[in-house]
Amino acid sequence: MKNFTFKISKDQLDWIFKPVREKLHVIKVLMRVIKIMLTYQEPTEAQVAGHFNLTVNSMSRLIFVSKEKIYSINFPFRVTGNIGSLKFYSNHHQDINSKATSNILALIDDGIFIEQHVLDFAMPLADRFDIDNDLWALLRELLLWEDGYIRYDDDPDNEDGDVHPRYHLDVFYSSAATFKLGLRQAIEHVTFADILDVNTNCQYL
């Protein structure tokens, strides 16, 4: 197993912990976080507002940690190297580099996923694929990727007995699918990581 820790600044914390509502948002976070890892510059101690871990084993995950919240998503790519020389590869054997992440972010920001007509979605993609043949393979992998989103909240402002416990796990992110698992007490990110680790003993409800 490999475990890499990256400290993050306040501005990075803000977009990493922006509420997740849809799959495209998770993909954007993944692409932007890969950019951080590819060109990592550790913030000064005064700038540090949180951190995230990349754990690479039989089920690799990213875990993001702030003061009140922790959340995790599945990490879908193979990893080689160490901090300062990390490389990421898709199932298509594509090098997930800065150009690849920028291309995916541009497709999302261009708004093609809200188009009503299939050709309005397909034509911009086709134009880009003429330039980069690997882009469709990466986009398809990300759209089919099971992101495995789960979040831990310490939420005293919205506490409402057993309906909305102060400490809880939010499983999934869309309003149609999400549900809470209440916790009797606060947990640290190490415990959260252990809950998600398929190689350690199971936690019981």
Side-chain angles (χ1 to χ4, degrees):
M1 182 180 77
K2 294 183 178 180
N3 195 304
F4 307 102
T5 299
F6 302 85
K7 297 178 182 179
I8 51 177
S9 62
K10 176 64 166 59
D11 63 317
Q12 292 169 328
L13 188 85
D14 287 344
W15 61 258
I16 286 174
F17 279 90
K18 184 178 179 180
V20 172
R21 296 288 181 260
E22 60 181 28
K23 178 68 168 285
L24 292 180
H25 185 183
V26 184
I27 294 174
K28 288 183 70 171
V29 169
L30 177 64
M31 295 294 98
R32 294 183 72 180
V33 164
I34 287 175
K35 285 183 176 295
I36 290 176
M37 293 189 289
L38 287 172
T39 60
Y40 182 60
Q41 295 291 323
E42 184 173 317
T44 66
E45 199 60 37
Q47 294 173 322
V48 173
H51 70 273
F52 67 89
N53 292 339
L54 170 60
T55 300
V56 181
N57 57 20
S58 55
M59 189 176 71
S60 299
R61 278 192 167 269
L62 285 162
I63 297 178
F64 305 97
V65 182
S66 72
K67 185 177 180 181
E68 294 86 14
K69 299 180 186 295
I70 309 169
Y71 79 92
S72 176
I73 58 175
N74 173 37
F75 190 76
F77 304 125
R78 299 192 307 280
V79 182
T80 63
N82 291 292
I83 293 178
S85 63
L86 287 172
K87 287 186 176 295
F88 307 106
Y89 298 95
S90 71
N91 290 331
H92 185 62
H93 306 294
Q94 180 182 355
D95 180 5
I96 311 303
N97 53 29
S98 183
K99 178 184 176 183
T101 56
S102 292
N103 284 338
I104 294 296
L105 289 169
L107 285 173
I108 295 173
D109 291 338
D110 285 349
I112 63 170
F113 292 96
I114 63 173
E115 295 292 350
Q116 297 298 310
H117 195 285
V118 65
L119 292 180
D120 293 329
F121 170 78
M123 292 304 295
L125 292 181
D127 291 342
R128 289 181 182 269
F129 299 154
D130 284 341
I131 300 171
D132 186 347
N133 291 327
D134 288 329
L135 185 57
W136 170 243
L138 176 57
L139 179 61
R140 180 182 59 200
E141 186 172 332
L142 289 169
L143 292 175
L144 296 175
W145 160 56
E146 184 175 359
D147 52 68
Y149 177 93
I150 182 170
R151 184 179 76 246
Y152 163 74
D153 272 358
D154 175 2
D155 189 9
D157 293 339
N158 295 305
E159 184 178 5
D160 183 17
D162 289 337
V163 175
H164 191 124
R166 172 173 175 172
Y167 310 110
H168 60 268
L169 298 174
D170 283 309
V171 185
F172 310 129
Y173 44 79
S174 73
S175 58
T178 187
F179 64 92
K180 298 184 188 303
L181 292 173
L183 301 171
R184 297 298 182 189
Q185 59 189 15
I187 62 173
E188 299 293 332
H189 71 273
V190 174
T191 302
F192 181 79
D194 183 64
I195 291 171
L196 301 176
D197 191 341
V198 296
N199 297 302
T200 63
N201 292 338
C202 283
Q203 301 282 338
Y204 286 82
L205 296 174

